Amino acid sequence: MKNKIIISALVILTVFITTSGINSSNQDQPKKVEYTCPMHPEVISGKPGECPKCGMDLVKKEAQATKVVYTCSMHPEIISDNPGKCPECGMDLVKKEVAKVEYTCPMHPEVISDKPGKCPKCGMDLVKKENGTKKKCKMMQGCGMMNM
């Protein structure tokens, strides 16, 4: 009788360990990383390298940060952070995802703002922040300006 209980417990334990191992292996699969050219976003590769069109280094493709806003189909200038009615025509506002825009100082990249303005350190105009990093361009290597 004792042997039947021990064997039953071992069978149950084996089944539990086997099925839990299958579930965890599905969750541990690595995410697919893609690389793209900053000048040619249609060029996509599964590994780092150079753009076949211009020779620039491919950069890791990052998910675009988005912000959800609500707007009127008839009056696109009406934008709200919350759902509701259009004050012009009374239609329901519809959800729209827009790319989050950030502004930075050309001289102080650590200064980041969600709207245009002046850099608090030097007073320069903040410019739209570009995704990706600047890489040297093969076409300009001879001039000495792009060899950073």
Side-chain angles (χ1 to χ4, degrees), residues 92-105:
D92 288 335
L93 299 179
V94 293
K95 186 196 273 190
K96 181 178 178 184
E97 288 189 16
V98 292
K100 184 178 176 187
V101 178
E102 290 183 332
Y103 296 86
T104 186
C105 175

Side-chain angles (χ1 to χ4, degrees), residues 1 5 10 21 24 26 29 33 37 41 45 56-57 66-68 70 78 81 118 123-125 132 141-142 145:
M1 184 69 156
I5 295 173
L10 287 175
S24 66
N26 288 340
Q29 292 179 354
V33 176
C37 175
S45 173
M56 290 179 71
D57 292 336
T66 59
K67 177 182 174 185
V68 175
Y70 297 87
I78 304 293
D81 291 332
K118 300 278 185 188
M124 289 182 69
D125 288 336
Q141 282 181 347
M145 296 298 288

Side-chain angles (χ1 to χ4, degrees), residues 17-79:
I17 290 172
T18 305
T19 57
S20 67
I22 291 172
N23 291 339
S24 66
S25 66
N26 288 340
Q27 296 171 354
D28 294 338
Q29 292 179 354
K31 293 180 182 176
K32 184 179 176 185
V33 176
E34 291 183 333
Y35 295 84
T36 186
C37 175
M39 296 299 293
H40 303 99
E42 68 276 8
V43 174
I44 297 174
S45 173
K47 59 185 184 222
E50 293 182 350
C51 175
K53 293 184 176 183
C54 68
M56 290 179 71
D57 292 336
L58 299 180
V59 296
K60 195 179 289 190
K61 190 173 182 180
E62 298 177 13
Q64 185 80 12
T66 59
K67 177 182 174 185
V68 175
V69 296
Y70 297 87
T71 185
C72 177
S73 305
M74 299 299 292
H75 304 98
E77 69 277 7
I78 304 293
I79 297 172

